[in-house]
Amino acid sequence: MKILYIPWDSVGQDDLEDAFIQEGHTLVYSTVFLEKKTYSDLPEVEARLSGILDNENPDIVFTVNYYPMISDFCHRHKIRYISWIYDSHFRRIYSKTVINPCNAIYILDKQLYLEFREAGVSTVRYLPMAANVERLDTLHTKQSDFAYDVSFVGSLYLETLQPFTKMSESLSDYAKGYLDALVASQLKIQGYDFIPDVLGPIMEEMRKAYPISHEPWSIESDEDYYAQHVINRWITTVERVDLLDAVAQKFGVDFFTHYKIFTLPNLRNHGPAGYMTEMPLVFKQSKVNLNISRRGMKGGIPLRAFDIMGSGGFLLSNFQSDFLDLFVPGEDFVYYESKEDMLDKIGYYLSHEDQRQAIAKNGHDKVAAAHTYRHRVREMLSGI
């Protein structure tokens, strides 16, 4: 199959391209950089992609993440458009264009997929993330022993000014107190996001304090925007700092992040770990790899979890319901239900090496057997 592939600098891009090629497909590349494009750029995008269609005659168009203007383009030109959304909070999926019949939009969260299906949208499909185990298995560390007891690779969303902080500066004391109560309550609850449903009393204040705009194609509600991109982002920051502090106090923790100035007692901030080589070595050299999912994600498994298991690392994660579709708790990975449970399980598995390494191997082997990028490419293309 010949695929018009429109790339951007996404994680896993090289692995995905290799999978397409290894599965026998031909990639035709476009140089249109979509991430900065709006509908005002549509004539330019249309002209450049139309030229490729005329010259190359591809069978489908593919992007990582979903682009409404590409969907409209493919709809007009009667060509299949396949996209695979890597992000758990992706604004563009709330688009009028989603129902275009040319679309096959794959998302990583089964609960979100079910919401679209219940709404009668048949173009959105469920497809979990993956790992390139073949590549990860070629990366070896020179050290025979583990370099880290407990590690976390991820963001605190503090690299730039938090929208929540900026918004709060202009809110009344009542609205601030209301939001603080919401944050405190949501932090106590895993697996259910109630934030979008309870913002009514302070919506007008938030709109004035932190104005937002929607693209012409958008059907995203203001409530969903503030919940997912402002409030849950802040809840994720608060939760990750709290959990890392608790782990650091009891065990020490090695932290890999772009926010280099973050400090806590007994936390070693190593700065960022490069996705392709450095990050997998961290996973391989850590006795316990933490996954603390971004708040607001419904049930999906983050890419980080697949990368940890695919690298042969031991995964300790918060509970996400999609894990139960693909993996066995206590056999392929371990999940925690609270801060106290997380600390107890870290202590247990640090002192039970044989069990820890057996679980890590099971997770690795299961990803290799059924959850690589080549598996996902077959699944995506089998449905067209």
Side-chain angles (χ1 to χ4, degrees):
M1 185 175 291
K2 182 182 283 190
I3 301 168
L4 172 51
Y5 188 96
I6 308 176
W8 60 279
D9 191 21
S10 63
V11 295
Q13 178 171 287
D14 292 345
D15 292 328
L16 182 57
E17 291 177 23
D18 287 345
F20 277 121
I21 294 169
Q22 289 179 40
E23 288 297 305
H25 305 291
T26 301
L27 299 182
V28 178
Y29 292 90
S30 165
T31 57
V32 175
F33 184 70
L34 294 172
E35 283 302 294
K36 301 296 183 181
K37 300 295 184 185
T38 66
Y39 264 87
S40 63
D41 302 301
L42 189 55
E44 173 205 346
V45 172
E46 177 92 22
R48 295 173 70 176
L49 294 183
S50 295
I52 297 175
L53 291 189
D54 292 341
N55 293 329
E56 298 289 347
N57 193 30
D59 300 295
I60 64 170
V61 175
F62 178 87
T63 62
V64 172
N65 288 343
Y66 175 74
Y67 296 89
M69 71 167 62
I70 300 300
S71 176
D72 276 347
F73 170 85
C74 291
H75 181 57
R76 287 191 298 274
H77 289 267
K78 296 181 173 55
I79 186 171
R80 195 69 156 146
Y81 175 39
I82 299 180
S83 59
W84 189 15
I85 297 177
Y86 276 30
D87 298 324
S88 59
H89 300 282
F90 193 71
R91 293 188 69 188
R92 290 193 292 267
I93 198 172
Y94 298 100
S95 164
K96 301 171 186 176
T97 66
V98 164
I99 62 172
N100 284 342
C102 62
N103 292 334
I105 305 168
Y106 292 92
I107 60 175
L108 64 85
D109 194 311
K110 186 176 182 180
Q111 289 187 42
L112 183 58
Y113 150 71
L114 291 174
E115 290 179 12
F116 275 95
R117 190 178 74 175
E118 290 168 6
V121 179
S122 61
T123 54
V124 175
R125 305 173 182 183
Y126 170 56
L127 190 70
M129 289 284 94
N132 185 351
V133 178
E134 185 177 350
R135 175 180 64 81
L136 296 172
D137 283 348
T138 66
L139 301 174
H140 300 288
T141 173
K142 297 179 181 178
Q143 300 175 354
S144 57
D145 298 324
F146 289 98
Y148 317 111
D149 283 344
V150 186
S151 70
F152 177 63
V153 180
S155 175
L156 295 178
Y157 301 105
L158 292 172
E159 294 85 356
T160 57
L161 180 64
Q162 274 268 4
F164 186 90
T165 303
K166 184 177 180 180
M167 181 178 70
S168 296
E169 292 173 351
S170 301
L171 292 176
S172 67
D173 289 342
Y174 169 78
K176 290 178 183 177
Y178 191 92
L179 281 176
D180 287 344
L182 290 186
V183 169
S185 298
Q186 185 68 81
L187 280 167
K188 296 176 182 177
I189 300 173
Q190 295 280 349
Y192 172 65
D193 177 22
F194 64 79
I195 299 294
D197 301 326
V198 295
L199 294 178
I202 59 171
M203 274 302 302
E204 286 308 313
E205 273 207 56
M206 289 195 298
R207 289 188 180 107
K208 293 176 183 177
Y210 191 78
I212 59 174
S213 61
H214 298 287
E215 291 285 348
W217 43 258
S218 178
I219 57 173
E220 180 183 37
S221 70
D222 287 356
E223 287 82 359
D224 281 337
Y225 178 88
Y226 284 109
Q228 303 304 343
H229 303 285
V230 179
I231 301 169
N232 276 321
R233 180 183 170 113
W234 175 247
I235 293 174
T236 303
T237 298
V238 173
E239 180 172 48
R240 287 182 177 180
V241 170
D242 179 56
L243 293 180
L244 289 174
D245 184 39
V247 176
Q249 288 185 40
K250 192 164 185 178
F251 304 103
V253 65
D254 289 272
F255 184 35
F256 297 81
T257 184
H258 286 279
Y259 192 55
K260 300 177 183 179
I261 64 173
F262 179 75
T263 61
L264 285 173
N266 300 319
L267 179 143
R268 293 166 289 278
N269 188 331
H270 298 267
Y275 181 80
M276 292 297 287
T277 56
E278 296 173 345
M279 189 177 70
L281 293 179
V282 172
F283 297 153
K284 291 173 183 288
Q285 294 181 81
S286 298
K287 294 179 181 178
V288 175
N289 292 281
L290 295 177
N291 173 59
I292 309 169
S293 299
R294 192 185 191 279
R295 282 302 187 123
M297 177 182 280
K298 296 179 182 295
I301 306 173
L303 179 61
R304 179 193 300 107
F306 282 96
D307 283 327
I308 290 170
M309 288 188 285
S311 298
F314 174 86
L315 170 63
L316 177 61
S317 175
N318 66 291
F319 179 75
Q320 296 288 116
S321 58
D322 287 5
F323 272 116
L324 303 185
D325 291 335
L326 308 180
F327 304 103
V328 179
E331 181 179 305
D332 305 318
F333 78 107
V334 174
Y335 71 84
Y336 62 85
E337 299 181 82
S338 65
K339 177 167 60 178
E340 293 72 25
D341 187 41
M342 179 188 69
L343 296 174
D344 289 344
K345 284 175 175 172
I346 290 173
Y348 179 85
Y349 284 104
L350 285 178
S351 61
H352 289 77
E353 185 169 350
D354 290 346
Q355 291 183 40
R356 191 186 72 242
Q357 294 203 28
I359 291 170
K361 184 178 187 306
N362 287 340
H364 168 273
D365 292 350
K366 190 161 287 186
V367 172
H371 307 296
T372 69
Y373 283 94
R374 293 186 67 174
H375 290 103
R376 299 297 185 250
V377 163
R378 291 172 206 158
E379 291 174 69
M380 283 189 284
L381 298 184
S382 66
I384 63 171

